[in-house]
Amino acid sequence: MNRRYRKTIIAGNWKMNNTLTQTKAFAEEIKPIMPRGKWCNVVLCVPATNIQAAVRLFKDCHIAIGAETCHYEEKGAYTGEITAAMIKDAGAKYVIIGHSERRQYYNETDFTVNKKVHAAIEAGLIPIVCVGESLEQRELGVTMELIAYQVKCALAGVAPEKVRHIVIAYEPLWAIGTGKTATAEQAGEVCQAIRTVIRKQYGAHVARSVTIQYGGSMNAKNAAELLAQPDVDGGLIGGASLKPEDFVQIIHAANQE
Ligand code: PGA
């Protein structure tokens, strides 16, 4: 983390978990144990049906709300989809874009990720853009090339002053939901490489302001070590964000000196 230049952001990704009733119960549980935000910003990305209620429920404890995806068009015949403007209107501040599960199961590509990034910014949302390599790609030794390609595609055509506020989440596919975390060195190395890509494209001023998270089995035990890496500015947390106590432990780790 480097709090001098950029925000530390701990974001939960609930995926397809928690009904409205369960969301209320989670809010009751986390409120009394939530650390009063010193440095780190806290976000929960929740299923679309919970956004509006979550905005209200988590307001007191300073947890901002995000969506888990959005469509790139402003409106139209896309049954089942929701627009970035709808998400913004429901009170959310963030939206996850290009999560590997969306890329794997819903044909999300680097091209649609780019269109969604533009749509999110246009609507006034902060995109949390996910990039990451598969185990095969890591073993082939193409991780850095692939990540650079994904980052460049996602940000293509975005103005530098907008890039400054985008969040990038490095999520190696082999670490998501597997309990197998990247080592702090691996996470730090790729997050640093992401910042270098941004520096080359947009300059040092922009690159040092971008929050780059690590995601993939981050938990209460390994968070501090991962966050100690200078280019790891937070986490995108799946499983451990479903348990208030574990999530709070990660927030504590991000608030350490
Ligand atoms: P995980 O999920 O923490 O359960 O590995 C992370 C993510 O998919 O964002």
Side-chain angles (χ1 to χ4, degrees):
M1 295 180 284
N2 182 334
R3 296 197 188 90
R4 210 168 129 208
Y5 296 119
R6 47 193 177 260
K7 279 187 220 152
T8 301
I9 304 177
I10 296 297
N13 173 13
W14 276 4
K15 310 191 179 186
M16 199 171 71
N17 292 291
N18 285 339
T19 61
L20 194 52
T21 310
Q22 289 165 327
T23 304
K24 283 179 190 157
F26 185 104
E28 288 308 310
E29 234 182 285
I30 204 166
K31 263 182 203 169
I33 55 171
M34 185 65 192
R36 289 292 146 207
K38 283 203 285 183
W39 295 290
C40 109
N41 290 20
V42 183
V43 181
L44 277 176
C45 298
V46 302
T49 48
N50 293 348
I51 292 174
Q52 225 180 339
V55 168
R56 196 168 20 85
L57 287 165
F58 293 102
K59 206 172 162 200
D60 292 354
C61 51
H62 305 286
I63 299 180
I65 299 303
E68 299 175 9
T69 183
C70 66
H71 200 275
Y72 50 80
E73 292 292 354
E74 275 175 34
K75 60 179 177 176
Y78 298 98
T79 303
E81 292 288 330
I82 55 173
T83 68
M86 290 171 188
I87 293 165
K88 172 78 178 171
D89 203 34
K93 283 202 177 133
Y94 293 81
V95 58
I96 298 174
I97 293 176
H99 190 280
S100 64
E101 287 151 18
R102 302 288 316 174
R103 293 182 193 246
Q104 186 182 349
Y105 304 127
Y106 303 99
N107 300 327
E108 209 144 298
T109 64
D110 291 309
F111 180 65
T112 56
V113 166
N114 176 256
K115 298 221 287 185
K116 289 182 179 203
V117 167
H118 281 276
I121 293 171
E122 191 62 34
L125 293 169
I126 300 173
I128 301 177
V129 182
C130 303
V131 297
E133 83 287 2
S134 65
L135 189 57
E136 291 81 359
Q137 288 160 334
R138 177 161 279 270
E139 284 170 357
L140 282 175
V142 297
T143 299
M144 296 309 186
E145 288 86 347
L146 179 89
I147 300 286
Y149 177 80
Q150 290 179 330
V151 170
K152 281 185 193 172
C153 289
L155 303 183
V158 180
E161 67 272 17
K162 302 285 184 192
V163 173
R164 285 186 61 196
H165 304 290
I166 285 176
V167 179
I168 311 261
Y170 166 54
E171 299 209 305
L173 273 52
W174 45 272
I176 295 176
T178 57
K180 197 174 166 205
T181 319
T183 63
E185 291 70 29
Q186 285 170 328
E189 190 186 25
V190 180
C191 290
Q192 184 186 38
I194 292 171
R195 202 174 307 284
T196 304
V197 170
I198 299 173
R199 186 180 306 119
K200 283 189 186 148
Q201 301 263 121
Y202 299 97
H205 185 64
V206 170
R208 74 179 185 197
S209 324
V210 174
T211 296
I212 304 177
Q213 300 172 317
Y214 167 78
S217 302
M218 189 186 262
N219 58 39
K221 288 205 178 77
N222 59 31
E225 201 188 342
L226 289 157
L227 294 167
Q229 292 288 320
D231 285 296
V232 177
D233 309 311
L236 184 56
I237 298 120
S241 74
L242 295 171
K243 300 179 205 117
E245 264 184 43
D246 289 12
F247 194 51
V248 162
Q249 287 301 317
I250 299 172
I251 298 165
H252 275 304
N255 276 337
Q256 295 309 308
E257 290 281 0

